[in-house]
Amino acid sequence: MRGTMLWFNETKDFGSIVTDEGERLSVQGSCFTGGKRPEGRCAGLAVTFEATGSESDRQAEDVELLPLVERRRARVHYSAHRGRS
C-alpha cells in the first residue's frame, strides 16, 4: 500500500500514517525497513507499507520511506517579450 507520514515522535519511536484511501494507521519505529526512521518534520513524506491487524487496531509494517522527488520548476521564457515595443 501507499500513503504519507502524518507525524513521527523520535523520542517515543511511534507515529502515524494515512493511506491513499484516507485510513489512519499507527506505526512503531521497529516497523521501518532497514532501520531508516523519519527524522525531524516528516509530515507528507511518501511511504509504502503493509497494513496488519484488526479493523479497530490497524498498524503499518514493513514501512519504507520513498525518496523525496524535487518538483520541476516551470521555465519562464522571456524571448517572446524582448525587442517588441
Side-chain angles (χ1 to χ4, degrees):
M1 296 182 82
R2 292 181 62 104
T4 55
M5 291 296 307
L6 290 175
W7 58 272
F8 188 78
N9 185 317
E10 294 174 64
T11 305
K12 295 181 180 181
D13 206 29
F14 179 79
S16 185
I17 291 174
V18 64
T19 68
D20 286 347
E21 292 80 28
E23 181 183 9
R24 285 182 83 142
L25 305 173
S26 60
V27 60
Q28 298 288 332
S30 60
C31 294
F32 286 90
T33 59
K36 185 172 179 172
R37 293 169 168 83
E39 296 175 355
R41 292 183 180 240
C42 65
L45 286 179
V47 293
T48 60
F49 56 91
E50 295 295 324
T52 62
S54 64
E55 282 191 35
S56 63
D57 186 32
R58 304 256 298 165
Q59 297 180 352
E61 291 187 2
D62 297 327
V63 181
E64 182 177 352
L65 297 172
L66 298 177
L68 184 62
V69 177
E70 291 288 328
R71 292 186 176 166
R72 292 180 54 155
R73 300 175 104 185
R75 295 184 192 183
V76 177
H77 296 282
Y78 294 103
S79 61
H81 301 289
R82 287 191 204 161
R84 295 188 180 197
S85 302

